Amino acid sequence: KQEVTQIPAALSVPEGENLVLNCSFTDSAIYNLQWFRQDPGKGLTSLLLIQSSQREQTSGRLNASLDKSSGRSTLYIAASQPGDSATYLCAVISSGSARQLTFGSGTQLTVLP
Amino acid sequence: DVKVTQSSRYLVKRTGEKVFLECVQDMDHENMFWYRQDPGLGLRLIYFSYDVKMKEKGDIPEGYSVSREKKERFSLILESASTNQTSMYLCASSWLDRDNQPQHFGDGTRLSIL
């Protein structure tokens, strides 16, 4: 059964720092990996999706990488801002599944002004 | 823009009541999902559906049922609500097999069972 782990569980950084969030998964047979953002009391917003054949995706200050063979992904946030404060969730769709996501427990990020 | 709409943001019900949570999507997605999110347990899949009148159990289906009579609407039903079903419920939708497209989520329903 696929398991997804995110480290660290919480992270606090000063504004302007570059930071990396980590995600690992146990079964490398995946269709894709997705990174989401969740603000308190709200739903999930899709940030980046990396298909199994891809190595990375970029959107603005965000860059996500995927190393399927080692079961790892990283989300890089450049020049962090207080508005980036949120919980970041990593999730995978396993091959052979009906496209349901398996989620990590998230990293709660606080960017201090 | 894809829109997934959940009927209520907050809901308070009593133990034993039958509770309906509604979700509507406007992108003609085949797949629809219901998750619950609890502190320390993360998001867990309750049920999903890949077509009208089709349903599949997720990881934690006990105490729940679902209905999908129309493609755009997926309902979660708590047959007899219990206090351990107090949680945040999230609905999502996606294409059946477009792996370059993400799942889209609603804003969630925070359900309290008293």
Side-chain angles (χ1 to χ4, degrees):
Chain A
K1 184 182 174 184
Q2 180 75 267
E3 291 182 4
V4 180
T5 303
Q6 290 186 248
I7 295 172
L11 183 63
S12 184
V13 300
E15 183 176 4
E17 270 203 12
N18 303 324
L19 58 100
V20 174
L21 307 181
N22 295 293
C23 172
S24 61
F25 47 96
T26 55
D27 185 350
S28 62
I30 62 171
Y31 287 123
N32 64 43
L33 182 143
Q34 299 177 38
W35 283 94
F36 294 90
R37 169 186 173 136
Q38 186 175 32
D39 293 292
K42 296 290 185 66
L44 278 63
T45 300
S46 177
L47 296 174
L48 289 165
L49 179 150
I50 310 177
Q51 293 179 262
S52 61
S53 58
Q54 297 174 324
R55 298 282 296 184
E56 66 176 351
Q57 284 288 332
T58 298
S59 176
R61 294 183 293 108
L62 305 180
N63 175 275
S65 68
L66 174 65
D67 184 342
K68 206 172 65 161
S69 61
S70 68
R72 294 184 182 183
S73 175
T74 60
L75 179 66
Y76 174 83
I77 302 177
S80 58
Q81 303 170 357
D84 295 329
S85 299
T87 297
Y88 291 81
L89 293 155
C90 165
V92 299
I93 294 182
S94 300
S95 297
S97 73
R99 301 311 195 277
Q100 65 265 42
L101 287 163
T102 301
F103 283 89
S105 52
T107 294
Q108 186 173 354
L109 173 66
T110 303
V111 180
L112 303 169
Chain B
D1 255 7
V2 176
K3 188 72 175 174
V4 179
T5 303
Q6 294 185 230
S7 54
S8 304
R9 289 297 312 277
Y10 302 94
L11 207 53
V12 180
K13 296 290 183 181
R14 297 208 173 271
T15 303
E17 280 193 66
K18 191 169 185 176
V19 181
F20 294 85
L21 302 183
E22 307 285 347
C23 175
V24 177
Q25 50 95 3
D26 65 357
M27 274 299 291
D28 205 34
H29 284 160
E30 295 92 351
N31 290 338
M32 295 190 75
F33 307 86
W34 276 107
Y35 299 88
R36 67 177 280 178
Q37 185 176 29
D38 301 287
L41 296 175
L43 277 105
R44 295 177 291 167
L45 181 66
I46 305 171
Y47 266 98
F48 64 98
S49 167
Y50 53 88
D51 201 354
V52 175
K53 297 192 183 297
M54 304 302 291
K55 60 183 179 183
E56 295 286 343
K57 292 180 180 179
D59 298 321
I60 51 165
E62 297 78 17
Y64 303 94
S65 63
V66 290
S67 172
R68 193 162 180 204
E69 296 296 318
K70 294 185 178 181
K71 192 174 185 179
E72 67 270 19
R73 186 180 297 270
F74 192 35
S75 303
L76 180 70
I77 304 158
L78 286 65
E79 297 289 345
S80 177
S82 63
T83 55
N84 64 11
Q85 292 178 309
T86 292
S87 185
M88 174 72 138
Y89 290 87
L90 292 161
C91 175
S93 70
S94 71
W95 297 110
L96 182 63
D97 55 4
R98 298 187 197 179
D99 295 321
N100 61 344
Q101 297 294 318
Q103 274 190 22
H104 293 270
F105 283 78
D107 285 336
T109 296
R110 186 163 294 281
L111 175 65
S112 296
I113 307 295
L114 304 179

